[in-house]
């Protein structure tokens, strides 16, 4: 495989490819500012709150983004995580969880309560640094 597989069999973690893509887009489109509008993954263990794969995923992608900006002089203006909340995925319904917050959507007594996963604390710490 090209990299570690996430929870969906079509999704691999390939941060070096992300950096190469940022550099290619920057070169192809005359260094126009770039905003990454959607990047994220589901956890291969589909763990409820301890989403360590997602933390490693974003840590490696943000490092690749930093290297693209510093070393390759790519003008990146924003990075948005997919997704803030667990949601309905077209191909998998509610089975795959991409969110930083878990949504209780299971069973007839589903409360839709949102509970932060470990990645929320990681992002808060990352942003403060």
């Amino acid at each position: 495989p090209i990299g570690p597989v996430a929870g969906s069999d079509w999704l691999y973690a390939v941060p070096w490819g992300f950096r190469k893509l940022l550099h290619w887009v920057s070169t192809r489109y005359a260094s126009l500012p770039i905003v990454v509008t959607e990047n994220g993954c589901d956890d291969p263990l589909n763990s409820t709150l301890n989403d360590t794969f997602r933390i490693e995923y974003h840590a490696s992608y943000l490092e690749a983004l930093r290297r693209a900006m510093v070393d390759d002089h790519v003008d990146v203006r924003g990075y948005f995580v997919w997704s803030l909340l667990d949601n309905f995925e077209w191909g998998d319904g509610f089975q795959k969880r991409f969110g930083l917050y878990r949504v209780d959507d299971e069973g007839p007594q589903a409360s839709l309560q949102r509970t932060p996963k470990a990645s929320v604390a990681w992002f808060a710490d990352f942003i403060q640094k």
Side-chain angles (χ1 to χ4, degrees):
I2 194 169
V5 67
S8 297
D9 59 3
W10 52 266
L11 182 57
Y12 293 86
V14 189
W16 60 265
F18 180 59
R19 178 182 175 192
K20 285 181 71 169
L21 177 63
L22 290 169
H23 185 258
W24 182 86
V25 170
S26 178
T27 302
R28 173 69 173 85
Y29 295 102
S31 298
L32 286 174
I34 296 172
V35 176
V36 178
T37 59
E38 184 176 301
N39 189 35
C41 68
D42 52 342
D43 195 310
L45 302 176
N46 207 19
S47 61
T48 310
L49 300 175
N50 190 23
D51 55 344
T52 55
F53 185 88
R54 181 175 294 105
I55 291 169
E56 289 300 318
Y57 178 93
H58 284 292
S60 64
Y61 272 74
L62 288 167
E63 174 59 20
L65 182 132
R66 185 194 68 76
R67 290 186 61 204
M69 293 173 69
V70 173
D71 299 340
D72 304 333
H73 309 288
V74 177
D75 184 7
V76 179
R77 304 279 178 98
Y79 176 91
F80 294 86
V81 173
W82 182 260
S83 168
L84 177 64
L85 302 171
D86 288 339
N87 61 356
F88 181 83
E89 295 290 327
W90 289 112
D92 295 303
F94 293 109
Q95 299 304 310
K96 302 294 182 176
R97 298 189 173 274
F98 281 77
L100 300 180
Y101 285 81
R102 184 186 188 288
V103 177
D104 175 15
D105 57 8
E106 297 173 354
Q109 301 299 319
S111 66
L112 301 180
Q113 177 179 346
R114 284 90 168 157
T115 306
K117 298 177 186 175
S119 52
V120 171
W122 180 86
F123 264 105
D125 183 59
F126 179 85
I127 291 168
Q128 288 178 1
K129 290 180 181 176

